[in-house]
Amino acid sequence: AYGWNNIKDSSLDRKKQKNPLAQELAAQPVVLYGMLSLLCIVAIGIGIGIGGVAIIAIIAQLLASAVYSGGPRLKCVPFIGTLLNIFIFAPLCFFGTPDLPRDITFYLLVCLFGALLIQNQFIHEIMDFDEDRRGGARTTTVVLGKKFSVFASAILGLVSTALIIAIGASSDRLWLFLLLGAPLTLFSIVVSRTLLHASDQARMFRSIQRALGFTLGAAAWLINYSGRL
């Protein structure tokens, strides 16, 4: 997903920090396309080996990645481009099993993953606002403005906190999940208050959100499933 997006955005994102493949694409395009094709084949092979839900999830992810960055380039379509990130990354939750889990908590964790993912995407769009507008990319933030995305990000943070509490309510460790939700709520409030007046801080907040989301998501999974492993 990232490789394909970097290749298709090479004409817009020329900074090595943001698009490490831009210069390499100009120098050796055949090698890059070959490596990308090989990775797709390997992913499909792994999915076939696992079978069932895993192969469906891998194919869904590859197709979503293809239409997001290339083809119809849906990343430039308001709302659709933002939400399509769920179909690119949420299938990762289903890679390890051939069957659909029957545990409702698993699906709450998937929803938590999706909410945190879209929160990060809104911060990403705020960060790239000027660049996207110059390049003609009609992202949700370009069309509706930074203020909309700031509030959407804050709301998704609160939704994520509610999901963490819901996961905790289904276990006997609710107090631990309340502790997990506290920093996410605080982060969402700080982000909304700061980015309304200083959108240049979006890159820093995006990095913090990724680290916080990974830590809280992993902790929620470990706490919930530690007694079942």
Side-chain angles (χ1 to χ4, degrees):
Y2 279 115
W4 181 241
N5 186 65
N6 282 342
I7 288 174
K8 302 306 291 185
D9 282 357
S10 59
S11 60
L12 296 175
D13 302 334
R14 296 186 178 278
K15 294 180 180 179
K16 190 169 184 178
Q17 179 184 7
K18 186 176 179 185
N19 190 343
L21 298 183
Q23 297 176 0
E24 285 76 0
L25 179 63
Q28 43 189 359
V30 175
V31 174
L32 282 179
Y33 280 112
M35 290 177 62
L36 193 63
S37 300
L38 179 61
L39 287 173
C40 291
I41 293 171
V42 170
I44 292 174
I46 293 173
I48 292 174
I50 298 173
V53 175
I55 183 60
I56 296 174
I58 289 174
I59 291 175
Q61 182 189 38
L62 292 175
L63 289 175
S65 301
V67 299
Y68 178 82
S69 302
R73 199 165 170 76
L74 294 180
K75 67 180 294 182
C76 297
V77 179
F79 290 108
I80 293 177
T82 303
L83 295 176
L84 195 58
N85 280 269
I86 292 177
F87 294 94
I88 296 174
F89 295 104
L92 289 168
C93 301
F94 298 89
F95 277 12
T97 175
D99 303 309
L100 283 174
R102 297 182 179 179
D103 182 6
I104 187 63
T105 306
F106 172 83
Y107 296 99
L108 289 174
L109 285 166
V110 173
C111 290
L112 173 62
F113 178 86
L116 290 171
L117 176 70
I118 300 303
Q119 182 189 43
N120 187 273
Q121 180 62 23
F122 273 120
I123 298 174
H124 184 189
E125 290 183 8
I126 294 170
M127 180 183 78
D128 286 352
F129 179 83
D130 293 331
E131 186 176 281
D132 286 339
R133 186 168 58 177
R134 285 194 302 269
R138 290 173 53 81
T139 64
T140 305
T141 304
V142 168
V143 173
L144 297 180
K146 295 180 184 179
K147 185 178 291 187
F148 171 86
S149 292
V150 168
F151 282 117
S153 174
I155 290 172
L156 284 166
L158 297 178
V159 169
S160 299
T161 299
L163 286 167
I164 288 176
I165 295 174
I167 294 168
S170 64
S171 70
D172 57 353
R173 302 173 181 177
L174 178 59
W175 66 274
L176 278 175
F177 286 89
L178 290 173
L179 290 177
L180 289 179
L184 185 56
T185 301
L186 178 61
F187 171 82
S188 300
I189 293 172
V190 171
V191 166
S192 62
R193 291 179 62 87
T194 304
L195 291 185
L196 278 175
H197 309 289
S199 58
D200 58 318
Q201 301 295 313
R203 184 179 298 276
M204 177 189 69
F205 280 121
R206 188 184 182 214
S207 297
I208 295 173
Q209 196 270 355
R210 279 191 294 198
L212 182 63
F214 174 81
T215 302
L216 294 180
W221 190 91
L222 288 171
I223 293 171
N224 184 70
Y225 288 107
S226 59
R228 312 181 197 184
L229 297 177

